[in-house]
Amino acid sequence: MALDDGEKTTLTETGTPADELMGAIVDGVIGAAGGFVGTALMTVVLLVAQGLGAFDTASFADLARLINLQAVLDPGLLQAVGYLIFLAGGMTAWPLLFASVEQYLPGATMARRGVSFGTVLWTGFVLAFYGGQTGTALYLYAGLTLVAHWVYGFGLGLVFTYFSTRPDTLV
């Protein structure tokens, strides 16, 4: 099918449903990998914040409590399960949202747009995970959690960039 100069082709016009499904799966794996890298980088900063007394990783247990897991889990597991929920969100929902909106964010590269994205995510995090810090601990909490979200977005953007510039086959 010949297209006019102004028309664009889509996968639906040029590929099969199997190609579309495979593309969606590959894109999902790339998003999950980016989210994993970003969350791992973010975790390092949050652990530094914990060491400085500005963040308490026990607040991850609140994520498990939100879905009433304390009714079925040992209280000692709530923090670990809460962190796994946090990791799952960082590997699924946020990369999907980033992929959807990144072209509208400020920044010349995908990694820089990831930093902008992290700033937006931080506005919810800083309120949801606030543990009553005051004084210097509050300033450290706000600053270090912002840095944590910047490194999350930067790592997410770097992974997206890396895989978008790879050839079709990695062999």
Side-chain angles (χ1 to χ4, degrees), residues 7-166:
E7 291 186 51
K8 294 182 180 178
T9 60
T10 64
L11 186 56
T12 305
E13 295 168 346
T14 60
T16 66
D19 291 337
E20 290 180 13
L21 177 61
M22 191 56 164
I25 291 170
V26 168
D27 288 349
V29 170
I30 291 169
F36 180 80
V37 167
T39 305
L41 293 170
M42 178 184 210
T43 300
V44 171
V45 178
L46 292 177
L47 290 174
V48 168
Q50 181 181 20
L52 295 172
F55 181 75
D56 187 4
T57 56
S59 61
F60 288 125
D62 292 338
L63 292 175
R65 287 187 196 96
L66 282 174
I67 54 176
N68 203 31
L69 288 179
Q70 71 274 15
V72 295
L73 291 177
D74 180 70
L77 293 176
L78 288 178
Q79 182 176 342
V81 171
Y83 179 78
L84 291 176
I85 294 168
F86 180 77
L87 176 63
M91 291 178 62
T92 56
W94 300 135
L96 178 61
L97 182 61
F98 178 69
S100 300
V101 302
E102 66 86 15
Q103 63 186 336
Y104 304 107
L105 296 171
T109 65
M110 200 173 276
R112 289 181 183 166
R113 289 189 294 274
V115 172
S116 298
F117 182 71
T119 303
V120 173
L121 293 181
W122 171 79
T123 61
F125 180 96
V126 75
L127 297 174
F129 286 83
Y130 173 67
Q133 299 89 332
T134 59
T136 303
L138 177 60
Y139 295 124
L140 286 171
Y141 170 74
L144 289 171
T145 57
L146 179 58
V147 170
H149 281 80
W150 285 344
V151 299
Y152 171 81
F154 189 79
L156 180 65
L158 280 181
V159 171
F160 271 69
T161 299
Y162 175 79
F163 282 107
S164 69
T165 59
R166 298 290 302 167

